[in-house]
Amino acid sequence: MKPSTRLRQRYGPWAVVTGASDGIGRAFAVEAAQAGLHVALVARREDRLRSLAAEIETGYRVRTMVIPSDLSKKSGVEAVLEATGTLDAGLLTAAAGFGTSGPILRANLEEEDEMLAVNCYSAMALSVHFGRRFAARGRGGIVLMSSLVGWQGTPFAAHYAATKAYIQSLAEGMRTELEGSGVDVLASAPGPVHSGFAARANMRMGGAETPQAVAKASLSALGGRGTVVPGSLSKLLTYSLAMLPRVARTRVMSQVMRGMTKHQNA
């Protein structure tokens, strides 16, 4: 069975994609549309969502729903649930999120609180809500965005890495709980990705994967495994650290992040 046919038959007819205005979320929306799923597009920037909706409807002959929503607020999460209440949704990709970097003692607590809400609360709340709906219909899929920085402490991105450790644990626990329900849960754990992430997080990255590669690998893995590490660079970084004790991995990541954030001290 072709991947596109599998996605449509196993999870269709609607996919809900958060963070759809750019980066990995946008790539997920396009991949879902290519597979023949209608797509509910969620992000703060309505103009970008409407542009993507027009592109998807013209290019792939599927329907879209535009849901402008700020997922750093509980009211934003509730707006998504209300807007999608009548959709026969079978796939959730929770790709909304952002990062911060630099010494934790210099953190802007208002920004860190917003990141915690988007990266953790919104992903959890949407997963619980759609997980219930998917279990009731007897089939569905949930993709949550973890990261290789979440597998150990990551100095100079300490809180961001902690939010990804939360997501990894949430996905692993939900996957086991939902075994036998027809609901698949996947943690997608990429490394550096070429998107707007680095600019907002104030990091400078060298080699990185494309959002399209991450989305394609994640949707291909959904239903077959619990965690996927998309891209050759991410696999290299992951497996080269895997045999080290956790404290050693943390020290290695400290050097990596020093390189990505050294411009902050210029």
Side-chain angles (χ1 to χ4, degrees), residues 19 40 60 78-79 82 105 113 121 133 153 161 172 178 187 189 200 211 220 233 235 256:
Y60 304 108
E78 291 166 358
E82 181 178 358
L105 297 187
D113 185 56
Y121 176 78
R133 288 175 57 177
E172 290 175 358
L178 292 172
R200 180 162 187 183
S220 294
L233 175 61
K235 288 181 174 63
V256 172

Side-chain angles (χ1 to χ4, degrees), residues 148-149 151-152 187 189-191 221 225 227-245 249 252-253:
L148 62 83
V149 302
W151 294 340
Q152 66 286 302
R225 66 187 86 168
T227 298
V228 65
V229 180
S232 56
L233 175 61
S234 299
K235 288 181 174 63
L236 176 63
L237 291 171
T238 297
Y239 299 140
S240 64
L241 295 175
M243 300 305 293
L244 297 178
R249 297 202 306 269
V252 170
M253 291 304 297

Side-chain angles (χ1 to χ4, degrees), residues 71-73 77 112-123:
L71 295 181
S72 70
K73 299 177 172 58
V77 175
E112 300 297 329
D113 185 56
E114 181 182 359
M115 181 177 68
L116 187 64
V118 175
N119 292 11
C120 296
Y121 176 78
S122 74

